[in-house]
Each structure stands twice: as C-alpha cells, then as structure tokens.
Amino acid sequence: MEHSNARSLVIGAPRSGKKPLQGTMRILICDDHTLFREGIKAILSADPSIEIVGEAADGKQAVEYASRFHPDIILMDISMPAMIGYEAIRHIIKADKNVKILVLTMYEEEEIIGLCLNAGASGYILKDAPASQLIEAIHILHKGGKYLSPRAMQKVVDQYIGGSAPLETKYDTLSNREREILKLLADGFSVKDIASRLNLSVKTVDAHKYNLMRKLDLHNKTDLIKYALRRKLITFPALSESREP
C-alpha cells in the first residue's frame, strides 16, 4: 500500500507547525458524511502537491474553518446541517474573495448550479465523477481558472439555449433575512415561533413572509415546502404542520 502524501488533520484541528511544501495547495474538505470525507482524502493523497488542512462536517463549521485555516481551495457539499452549502459559500467569499470553492455534490439541477455559482463558487463537480476529474478541477481552480463538470456544463448550456437568463434565480432576489425565514417556514415553524426565535415582532415576520412569497410567486404553505425541497433548503418534507390558523 502506498503511503499518503497529502497531510491531513482531524476535524477542526489547528495547522501543524510544519512549513508547507512550495506550491502546495491547501485544501479544506466540507461534507457531513465521514466516510465520504475519508474517501476524498484517500483520492487526494495520490497528489503530493495537496495538503489537507482541515475538515468541516456542516456549513457553519465550513465558514469557521475557512477563516481559521486559510485554505487555497474548499471542497463544498451542498446539503449539510446547520447551514446549506451555497449560503456557506456566500459567507466565505464575503470574508475572503481569494479563496476558491469547488462544489462537490450529487445535485445536477441547473437552479442549484446557478445558486452556487452566483454565491461565488469557482467550480462545480458531481460526486460520481472519476477521481482524475476531481484532481484536474482542483489544479484548474488553483491556477485561477473555473471548472464545470461535463454534466453541469450541459445543464447550464441547456438553460441558456432554452432562453432563460443564465444562472439567475428568484432566490437571489431574497434578502438574507427572507432566506432565513423561508427556511424556518419550510421546516414547519409558525410565524409566531419564528418571531420568538429571531427576536422579531410577529408583524415584521409576517411582512418578510409576504415579501418572500411574492418574490418567489408562491401562494401557500404547500408551494413553499415544495420550493424549499427543490432547492435543497430542506431534504425531507416538513412533518409538523404550522400552528397558524
């Protein structure tokens, strides 16, 4: 068995005192599945120019560790606890415009691709891609390029040819507060619950709810949940009904 050339740390561990090799690409892996992260580390170990500086198991950790470890490239899943992947991307890019983010996911819907690229991702690759494609994408991003896997590229091209404004979504018109309230509504919280949770008045939450549903052209709670499911804001139907009358 070959020895690993990529140096990795446990989740959240600080960097070692060793000086990285010249030209080393510092990688942060963000995915909520431990076995998947282990598989990615095994793949990246074949490339001596890669140093794995940390791992994050949810979106909030991804934002925190990006700031703490200063990676060159972040491998980012979309569907993660605590914070959805493309929201984590927004926070990370806002703090550091130089970091490159490669989305590594199972989702190939053009709207999801658009959300990630609009948030600031530099690349998008599917989890069933061959290992060589992942390594190639990392090197391209490190050189300042962009990368879309062939299937992701086809989705973008199809949308453009179909006459839609490429990569633009109604979700992008929402404010950060509206996105937060959308997620809570889809999770089954009532307006009163959300107001208490966010320390806002019921009237303010109602206004945000009205505005976000108008922007998204949604007409009832069922539409809202379906919208959240399509965009992976939630990964299962909300089981608890809202307690609003």
Side-chain angles (χ1 to χ4, degrees):
M1 178 180 296
E2 294 183 356
H3 293 289
S4 172
N5 289 316
R7 297 174 297 285
S8 61
L9 305 177
V10 297
I11 295 178
R15 300 192 299 271
S16 69
K18 294 183 179 180
K19 185 177 181 180
L21 297 173
Q22 186 175 6
T24 293
M25 294 177 285
R26 299 168 51 76
I27 306 292
L28 173 65
I29 302 173
C30 306
D31 194 284
D32 59 327
H33 293 97
T34 303
L35 287 178
F36 183 78
R37 294 196 307 270
E38 292 297 324
I40 292 300
K41 288 193 292 183
I43 290 172
L44 300 185
S45 70
D47 191 325
S49 67
I50 289 177
E51 177 189 11
I52 300 171
V53 297
E55 303 172 45
D58 62 53
K60 287 188 176 180
Q61 281 186 344
V63 175
E64 177 188 346
Y65 295 166
S67 175
R68 184 188 304 181
F69 299 147
H70 304 291
D72 299 307
I73 297 172
I74 299 173
L75 304 184
M76 179 75 71
D77 189 22
I78 292 176
S79 182
M80 290 190 295
M83 183 183 295
I84 199 79
Y86 43 79
E87 288 297 337
I89 294 172
R90 290 181 194 276
H91 286 282
I92 292 169
I93 294 297
K94 183 177 180 180
D96 182 1
K97 297 187 184 303
N98 293 319
V99 67
K100 308 298 181 184
I101 300 179
L102 177 62
V103 176
L104 182 57
T105 182
M106 60 185 287
Y107 302 118
E108 56 183 294
E109 295 89 344
E110 62 270 20
E111 288 181 313
I112 301 298
I113 298 171
L115 284 170
C116 292
L117 298 182
N118 284 337
S122 296
Y124 197 101
I125 189 170
L126 300 177
K127 285 185 174 180
D128 61 359
S132 59
Q133 191 178 111
L134 174 61
I135 297 292
E136 177 188 17
I138 289 173
H139 279 271
I140 288 174
L141 264 63
H142 190 246
K143 294 175 182 177
K146 308 286 187 181
Y147 188 90
L148 286 179
S149 65
R151 277 159 55 196
M153 175 64 79
Q154 187 61 53
K155 292 287 185 179
V156 173
V157 170
D158 288 345
Q159 184 184 38
Y160 181 82
I161 293 175
S164 300
L167 307 181
E168 293 295 333
T169 69
K170 293 179 180 178
Y171 185 83
D172 293 312
T173 68
L174 300 182
S175 67
N176 288 335
R177 180 65 82 186
E178 287 168 346
R179 291 171 186 165
E180 186 176 20
I181 291 173
L182 168 62
K183 173 68 166 60
L184 291 171
L185 287 168
D187 279 335
F189 289 93
S190 70
V191 167
K192 184 177 180 180
D193 292 334
I194 295 171
S196 176
R197 190 183 183 95
L198 300 181
N199 197 27
L200 299 172
S201 70
V202 171
K203 184 176 293 187
T204 297
V205 175
D206 256 329
H208 283 306
K209 177 183 176 182
Y210 171 81
N211 285 330
L212 74 87
M213 294 188 73
R214 175 181 55 81
K215 290 178 181 179
L216 299 176
D217 194 26
L218 304 176
H219 305 289
N220 53 50
K221 184 68 177 290
T222 300
D223 287 346
L224 187 147
I225 293 175
K226 288 179 179 178
Y227 178 90
L229 283 168
R230 287 198 304 272
R231 283 145 188 83
K232 311 302 183 289
L233 297 172
I234 54 176
T235 56
F236 50 86
L239 298 179
S240 59
E241 291 297 324
S242 169
R243 292 188 292 276
E244 295 177 74

